[in-house]
Amino acid sequence: MTGGSVWISLWRAAWVPFSGAMRTLHRYLLRQVAGSLLLSVAVFTTVLMLASGMKDLLRQLITGQVPPMVVIKAFGLLAPYVITFSLPMGLLASVLLVFGRFSADQEYTAARAGGVSLMSMVAPLLVVGMLLSGLSAYVNLEVAPRCKRMSKTLVHEMVMKYLTTQPARLLREKEFITEIPGYLIHIGECQPANDTDGELKLKEVLIHQFQGGQLAQRIRAASGRARVDDKEGKYIFDLLDVEVQSRELAETDPDTGESGGMGRWYTFSVGELSSEIPYGQTEKRARRLKDNELTFDELWRHWKARGQVATVDINGTVAELKYTGKPPTFPKPDTIMQVLRNGRRVGQVRTTVTPDSGQLISVLVTDGELKPGDEVRDVGKQVHLHGQFAFSCACLGFMMVGIPLGLQTSRSETTVGIAVSILLVLVFYSFLLLGRALVDKPEWHPEWIVWFPAFLFQGVGALMLWRANRT
């Protein structure tokens, strides 16, 4: 029997007149599933929140970066985000538990002996699965991103105030430091100086300075030291073995907003260099939002935005991208984007700052050799958007698989339902992780890979329901 025939058979089996006895059976099953669902979602939500939310919040609470009331509020705001994972898990566990008990107590056998088909029994539950999938999509793409953004922003503001009082903590090794407006700093190794209190010994220092969204200066140093001037509110870097690259910024046409080019670069080397960077405005720095903190409109807008390589500097390390639109939609700072040529990935770039006007934005070339005309887009947001919709379909797929699977187990133990639900959710979620891991390979279409488990579970569930309905 073909897949289409299976769906037609299920539809015909479910579309039968509902008598009073059938309505009683439907209310019974709905009540049993709803009760188990609420309990399962509550348990899974609590466990996931403790596992994911408290790890960072507890550390920040212990170090005094965030007060207790802020931790409690931020912890509560994470609940909608965690529910996006606990709802499918709880639904599958509750369905397995209810139908396992329904079969073990011979209630299912009695209903079938009375001439009631499986599909006519579970038709309202399948409708509930569809409604929960729609609710999950709304929560995944609207409610959860807003709440997680509020939670992270609340903690971020407290941490930045704490870092402003102890600015030396902002200088972290092996990370891109983007909290200081107009600068991007990377330190390969950072250790306290034993001979001088308050100073840090640095290795492999890279400092980018931006003006109007364009890279104006780049400083590389093999080693050096950094100290904090609390009175002036600035960092002082004393660098050794320094290479400085500066350029004359290209003038922008005030009418069109287009730049006349990359500007001429000048390179020179010095043995020692002292550089001062203010940190007084770090607490006002906008936090970089992750993909799971963006709503549907934001994901859609950035996914549709397409940049084009306009020019590349002589070293191949800095490029200018041109975006169209009025106004153009620029990617957020510190966003990693893929460079495509004829549909295949040829490189990767990282944004640093967003220009206030015009159509050009400077980016750092982190991989590959770029050419003018190459397309630049954020494949990660495309995959994430597809993944959120695909994961929303898990409720319907788990409902379709859970009903016949619960009848086959014929057991009422709670541990069996929980174990099976966790296993199936891991299988489903592994494909989402696989799709996101293949962001660097857009020619493999990772945006379609994330849909595979949704189609798989619904297809297998339809076949299992069809077979169970015939027996």
Side-chain angles (χ1 to χ4, degrees):
M1 178 174 286
T2 63
S5 301
V6 171
W7 284 102
I8 294 174
S9 300
L10 294 177
W11 176 259
R12 290 175 176 173
W15 192 255
V16 296
F18 292 157
S19 63
M22 283 297 298
R23 286 194 293 269
T24 301
L25 179 59
H26 289 161
R27 285 196 297 269
Y28 171 74
L29 291 175
L30 287 172
R31 189 166 56 248
Q32 292 293 317
V33 172
S36 299
L37 176 62
L38 292 176
L39 181 60
S40 300
V41 170
V43 171
F44 283 126
T45 300
T46 302
V47 173
L48 292 176
M49 288 185 68
L50 291 174
S52 61
M54 288 304 293
K55 181 178 64 174
D56 294 331
L57 291 175
L58 186 61
R59 175 179 57 82
Q60 292 161 348
L61 177 63
I62 293 175
T63 57
Q65 299 181 33
V66 181
M69 290 306 299
V70 173
V71 171
I72 294 175
K73 184 176 180 180
F75 187 71
L77 286 170
L78 288 176
Y81 174 74
V82 176
I83 286 177
T84 61
F85 298 94
S86 62
L87 179 59
M89 295 173 62
L91 178 62
L92 180 57
S94 62
V95 170
L96 289 171
L97 178 63
V98 168
F99 279 88
R101 186 169 57 243
F102 190 62
S103 177
D105 294 343
Q106 303 301 318
E107 294 172 315
Y108 174 67
T109 302
R112 293 303 301 269
V116 180
S117 68
L118 173 62
M119 287 305 302
S120 60
M121 267 189 274
V122 303
L125 290 176
L126 296 179
V127 173
V128 170
M130 295 176 63
L131 294 176
L132 288 178
S133 290
L135 177 63
S136 295
Y138 177 73
V139 174
N140 284 347
L141 293 165
E142 293 295 335
V143 180
R146 296 180 189 276
C147 290
K148 186 170 186 181
R149 183 188 306 182
M150 292 171 60
S151 175
K152 295 295 184 180
T153 300
L154 182 64
V155 174
H156 175 77
E157 291 175 351
M158 294 294 103
V159 172
M160 292 311 302
K161 289 181 179 179
Y162 174 78
L163 291 176
T164 303
T165 60
Q166 301 187 36
R169 292 179 176 268
L170 190 63
L171 301 180
R172 307 176 298 270
E173 64 180 18
K174 298 180 181 179
E175 292 185 26
F176 283 97
I177 302 169
T178 60
E179 288 82 359
I180 303 175
Y183 290 88
L184 183 142
I185 304 172
H186 187 275
I187 301 173
E189 184 177 333
C190 180
Q191 300 292 336
N194 297 327
D195 54 350
T196 307
D197 292 337
E199 286 196 2
L200 300 172
K201 296 175 63 176
L202 312 177
K203 290 184 179 180
E204 299 178 3
V205 182
L206 176 63
I207 301 175
H208 288 118
Q209 182 180 359
F210 297 86
Q211 294 181 10
Q214 300 184 65
L215 180 61
Q217 186 180 72
R218 178 168 51 213
I219 300 175
R220 296 179 183 270
S223 60
R225 293 196 173 207
R227 63 184 188 276
V228 178
D229 188 336
D230 296 324
K231 294 182 180 180
E232 298 293 333
K234 61 185 179 182
Y235 298 106
I236 301 177
F237 290 86
D238 297 319
L239 305 175
L240 302 175
D241 297 330
V242 184
E243 179 187 83
V244 181
Q245 292 180 307
S246 301
R247 70 166 175 169
E248 297 175 348
L249 294 181
E251 297 183 357
T252 302
D253 190 324
D255 297 326
T256 64
E258 296 186 2
S259 173
M262 291 289 295
R264 181 176 299 176
W265 283 90
Y266 300 92
T267 304
F268 62 93
S269 300
V270 294
E272 298 180 5
L273 178 69
S274 181
S275 178
E276 299 179 354
I277 298 178
Y279 65 79
Q281 296 181 343
T282 53
E283 71 276 11
K284 300 179 182 179
R285 169 74 174 183
R287 183 178 60 87
R288 183 176 69 88
L289 300 179
K290 296 182 178 180
D291 289 347
N292 55 19
E293 299 174 47
L294 300 178
T295 62
F296 171 77
D297 290 338
E298 293 167 327
L299 287 170
W300 180 264
R301 187 170 62 253
H302 285 284
W303 172 36
K304 297 296 290 184
R306 297 288 191 271
Q308 190 176 55
V309 177
T311 53
V312 185
D313 73 341
I314 192 172
N315 297 322
T317 56
V318 179
E320 292 261 344
L321 306 183
K322 182 178 180 180
Y323 281 81
T324 58
K326 296 182 179 180
T329 302
F330 290 113
K332 298 296 183 181
D334 203 26
T335 299
I336 297 177
M337 298 185 295
Q338 310 304 319
V339 183
L340 290 82
R341 187 182 304 151
N342 298 325
R344 299 187 64 85
R345 180 184 181 276
V346 294
Q348 181 176 281
V349 298
R350 178 192 291 270
T351 60
T352 51
V353 294
T354 301
D356 298 328
S357 60
Q359 294 181 309
L360 296 178
I361 179 174
S362 293
V363 295
L364 303 178
V365 181
T366 58
D367 184 33
E369 296 182 0
L370 277 59
K371 295 181 180 180
D374 289 344
E375 181 187 11
V376 180
R377 58 189 175 99
D378 194 343
V379 181
K381 287 184 173 56
Q382 178 186 13
V383 175
H384 181 75
L385 182 60
H386 280 263
Q388 292 297 85
F389 276 112
F391 196 61
S392 300
C393 298
C395 289
L396 178 59
F398 287 164
M399 180 73 81
M400 297 175 68
V401 171
I403 291 172
L405 195 60
L407 293 174
Q408 290 177 9
T409 56
S410 300
R411 301 179 65 178
S412 59
E413 288 87 347
T414 304
T415 54
V416 175
I418 293 177
V420 174
S421 63
I422 292 177
L423 177 62
L424 293 181
V425 168
L426 289 177
V427 172
F428 196 106
Y429 197 66
S430 64
F431 283 93
L432 301 183
L433 296 178
L434 176 62
R436 292 167 185 172
L438 294 175
V439 167
D440 291 341
K441 299 183 181 298
E443 63 271 15
W444 290 16
H445 295 287
E447 69 275 13
W448 298 120
I449 292 177
V450 298
W451 281 101
F452 179 77
F455 296 136
L456 175 65
F457 275 75
Q458 291 184 20
V460 171
L463 181 60
M464 293 176 66
L465 282 172
W466 173 73
R467 294 183 63 181
N469 190 67
R470 294 185 61 188
T471 58

